[in-house]
Amino acid sequence: MLADCVAKAAPGHLNQRVQLEWLFGRKQAAQPEDHWLLAGMRRVRLLFVRNRRARRYILRLRRDGTARVTVPRGGALAEAKQFAERNVAWLEKELLRQSLRPLRPATWPAGTEILFRGDRVRLEAGANGESGMVCFGGEAVPVADATGDRRPAIERHLRQLAARELPPLVLELAALHNLPVRRVTVRNQRSRWGSCSRRGTISLNWRLVQAPTFVRDYLVLHELAHLKEMNHSRRFWGEVARLCPDYREAERWLKHHSSLLA
């Protein structure tokens, strides 16, 4: 899970080791009052958002450069601000990482490079002389306007590919590891790569078709591991390691490349 970065700590325990993870990110409404934090040479806006379901403070660097601080049930605004201040070095490092990360273009005209199955591919106009087609990575997609933005048509095509490819993959890996899956859905999730319900439903983000095979498989196995452990405890990560021994390599790829996924 990716593009925004996150630091966590339980309420009342600000001295504990900070866990870092990557989330795909989603926008939240800001508090009326503005709060700011100096991170290196940058003045960063803090957004405090209360979440009754959260069990710890979470500091998230968003794509727009603001820092969102989740305040859990029983947490205090003053303690949340202290948590952000204690992690200012981490925040400064992530701001630098964000500034060096290549930006995804808002529109996709001909010549745009996108990620497809882990490779950078260029959108080429026309296929076999047909001006109403766009080609990339062995795919040919019809477009209404060959001179305009190809992003909507390409994204629809990628979602269709994901809907065809991901459910059979989930069922195949589930059968291989003797894990019961009742249903598989492919969705346009904005905050995660996938999810697993207690009833055995696996939901996956269509953008997995853009990732390399080993990353895609890891994310599927990550959700399948939740059929054994509905949490992110040590036992859960032990199950992940059993299902996918090289999962750390996939996590590293996600950390450095997730911003390139549509």
Side-chain angles (χ1 to χ4, degrees):
M1 295 178 288
L2 297 175
D4 286 351
C5 41
V6 181
K8 296 184 177 182
H13 296 279
L14 298 181
N15 291 323
Q16 71 180 42
R17 182 174 64 86
V18 174
Q19 284 186 306
L20 302 182
E21 67 179 76
W22 290 85
L23 299 178
F24 192 66
R26 65 181 171 205
K27 295 183 178 179
Q28 297 285 348
Q31 296 276 39
E33 182 182 357
D34 284 348
H35 298 267
W36 299 85
L37 180 66
L38 190 63
M41 300 297 292
R42 285 190 59 175
R43 192 164 173 258
V44 180
R45 187 183 181 196
L46 298 177
L47 306 178
F48 294 95
V49 180
R50 292 191 177 274
N51 186 339
R52 290 188 173 188
R53 297 169 58 186
R55 293 184 293 177
R56 56 180 68 88
Y57 294 101
I58 303 173
L59 174 63
R60 174 179 299 156
L61 177 62
R62 306 195 321 182
R63 290 192 185 116
D64 62 3
T66 60
R68 175 182 176 273
V69 186
T70 298
V71 185
R73 176 183 290 184
L77 188 63
E79 195 171 8
K81 191 171 183 181
Q82 290 175 19
F83 171 69
E85 291 169 349
R86 291 176 68 89
N87 289 286
V88 68
W90 172 85
L91 187 58
E92 184 178 356
K93 181 179 70 174
E94 296 306 327
L95 283 165
L96 176 60
R97 189 197 304 273
Q98 186 182 75
S99 69
L100 298 175
R101 190 180 303 140
L103 297 176
R104 293 173 293 174
T107 60
W108 293 355
T112 300
E113 286 191 346
I114 66 171
L115 206 62
F116 181 58
R117 305 198 193 283
D119 295 324
R120 283 181 175 270
V121 296
R122 186 181 298 273
L123 303 183
E124 305 287 354
N128 298 323
E130 299 179 53
S131 60
M133 303 288 289
V134 59
C135 303
F136 65 96
E139 302 290 321
V141 181
V143 291
D145 180 6
T147 62
D149 181 15
R150 294 157 175 79
R151 183 166 188 159
I154 298 299
E155 287 196 350
R156 280 194 301 271
H157 182 74
L158 293 176
R159 292 181 70 167
Q160 290 167 1
L161 282 179
R164 290 200 304 266
E165 297 176 2
L166 295 179
L169 174 65
V170 173
L171 297 177
E172 177 185 345
L173 291 175
L176 179 64
H177 296 286
N178 196 29
L179 295 169
V181 173
R182 289 189 177 181
R183 185 166 172 253
V184 183
T185 65
V186 176
R187 300 168 57 194
N188 185 28
Q189 295 162 309
R190 299 303 307 175
S191 62
R192 58 183 66 184
W193 293 117
S195 62
C196 175
S197 76
R198 294 187 181 276
R199 295 185 176 182
T201 295
I202 302 290
S203 296
L204 296 173
N205 194 311
W206 64 263
R207 295 168 182 84
L208 266 62
V209 297
Q210 293 186 268
T213 299
F214 77 96
V215 175
R216 177 206 63 189
D217 290 355
Y218 156 65
L219 291 168
V220 171
L221 291 168
H222 180 110
E223 299 308 329
L224 289 175
H226 281 305
L227 294 170
K228 291 286 189 71
E229 296 289 337
M230 294 295 295
N231 51 53
H232 285 96
S233 64
R234 251 183 220 181
R235 287 191 301 181
F236 167 78
W237 287 108
E239 183 65 15
V240 169
R242 183 184 72 83
L243 298 175
C244 185
D246 297 328
Y247 77 91
R248 288 187 177 86
E249 182 183 354
E251 287 277 351
R252 282 193 293 270
W253 189 95
L254 287 167
K255 183 175 182 180
H256 295 291
H257 300 93
S258 63
S259 64
L260 299 176
L261 303 184

